[in-house]
Amino acid sequence: MKKLLLAVLSLTLAAGFVFAQSDNNGSVSLSDPDASNIGNDSARQALREVSVERFEREGSWNVKISPDYGVISGRLFDGSPLAKESLNDADNQEMEDSKVFGVKVEFFRRGINSFYITSARPIPIEGVTKTVSVWACGRNMGHQLWLLVQDYNGNNFEIWMGSLEFSGWKKLTTAIPPSPDGEHGIIQQSVYHGDKPGLRIVGFRVDCNPMEAKGSYYMYLDDLRAVTDLYDLENKDADDMMDNW
């Protein structure tokens, strides 16, 4: 019995050591998730990085805060993060990309509050979304950015993207957790779904640090992207019928 317990302990320690090593060398990271390992239960994957929103059109995004906490406004500005890498997509490279979306919040007083940045209508993403990224300029405040999404069934979820406590522009990336059983969590793929996109981007929520939510606060967003698995779409037979009637 003692030998069995020792063997189990040894295996557990070895597994922990392997996990720690993978975490240290960057292959397992909450701030830089590997899209190829998220929900990967098959070798059949066709991962593509796609542009979701470039924040180029007036009136496409709305901002909201409780009138008890402050006043908020949002508008487009000319500019772009210098470190932003180009998208490896010939069609999207021709699209205009010269503006960013700015948000200004004027707080009435310190307190526990949040404000929202939402799309005029939810933005669908084809395929099975693995990661979502956005460039943010947070003005080195300890506020927290959350991604708001809607799955195929219309259920709403919030996913933490990171703290805005940094100077200048930074690319924030979050993983979309796969459903553990196809019935709970964020549902993106099912034999009942047909060709309807499985994930929609609703927008963002910023939870404010109560000690820093005072005066005027400025933040900017640009280049919302997703890494998505398009295997089923790219391998669909040309003579297959569309289940949309």
Side-chain angles (χ1 to χ4, degrees):
M1 186 67 180
K2 290 184 178 179
K3 290 183 178 180
L4 179 59
L5 288 174
L6 287 174
V8 172
L9 280 173
S10 299
L11 288 173
T12 304
L13 290 173
F17 177 74
V18 170
F19 177 80
Q21 284 230 324
S22 63
D23 189 51
N24 289 334
N25 64 27
S27 62
V28 177
S29 173
L30 291 177
S31 61
D32 189 18
D34 185 355
S36 63
N37 291 330
I38 298 172
N40 181 19
D41 56 2
S42 170
R44 298 182 304 172
Q45 286 197 118
L47 297 181
R48 301 286 185 274
E49 186 177 30
V50 298
S51 176
V52 178
E53 172 65 22
R54 298 195 176 190
F55 300 96
E56 298 293 318
R57 296 170 296 174
E58 292 282 359
S60 297
W61 289 82
N62 303 313
V63 291
K64 182 178 69 174
I65 191 174
S66 170
D68 295 331
Y69 297 144
V71 177
I72 190 171
S73 57
R75 51 164 291 197
L76 296 179
F77 291 89
D78 293 330
S80 182
L82 293 177
K84 183 173 65 176
E85 65 278 8
S86 60
L87 188 65
N88 187 22
D89 187 334
D91 296 331
N92 282 315
Q93 285 178 355
E94 297 178 358
M95 296 173 60
E96 185 179 0
D97 188 13
S98 60
K99 297 185 182 298
V100 302
F101 186 72
V103 180
K104 177 184 179 182
V105 183
E106 297 175 89
F107 295 106
F108 292 154
R109 59 186 179 275
R110 285 195 181 114
I112 300 174
N113 50 59
S114 303
F115 61 88
Y116 294 83
I117 307 165
T118 56
S119 176
R121 61 179 60 183
I123 307 172
I125 304 176
E126 290 187 324
V128 178
T129 305
K130 303 291 187 174
T131 65
V132 174
S133 65
V134 68
W135 281 87
C137 182
R139 290 294 182 255
N140 204 22
M141 292 287 184
H143 308 318
Q144 305 295 316
L145 182 67
W146 292 79
L147 176 69
L148 307 178
V149 301
Q150 190 177 81
D151 74 353
Y152 177 85
N153 295 322
N155 296 318
N156 294 308
F157 297 87
E158 52 190 39
I159 306 172
W160 184 69
M161 293 209 74
S163 172
L164 296 173
E165 197 169 4
F166 53 84
S167 299
W169 286 98
K170 181 179 179 181
K171 182 180 180 181
L172 300 177
T173 305
T174 188
I176 305 300
S179 170
D181 54 8
E183 296 184 2
H184 302 87
I186 301 177
I187 307 297
Q188 294 194 69
Q189 191 175 41
S190 170
V191 293
Y192 301 104
H193 285 184
D195 300 310
K196 189 177 178 181
L199 192 74
R200 291 169 175 80
I201 302 296
V202 176
F204 304 91
R205 188 185 78 234
V206 178
D207 291 342
C208 301
N209 184 323
M211 297 305 297
E212 298 179 349
K214 64 176 184 176
S216 296
Y217 173 65
Y218 300 85
M219 68 170 293
Y220 304 88
L221 297 173
D222 190 32
D223 200 19
L224 179 62
R225 297 184 186 183
V227 175
T228 180
D229 180 9
L230 299 175
Y231 181 87
D232 288 341
L233 295 177
E234 293 181 353
N235 291 276
K236 185 178 178 65
D237 293 334
D239 60 352
D240 198 357
M241 308 303 293
M242 297 289 288
D243 297 335
N244 58 0
W245 54 279

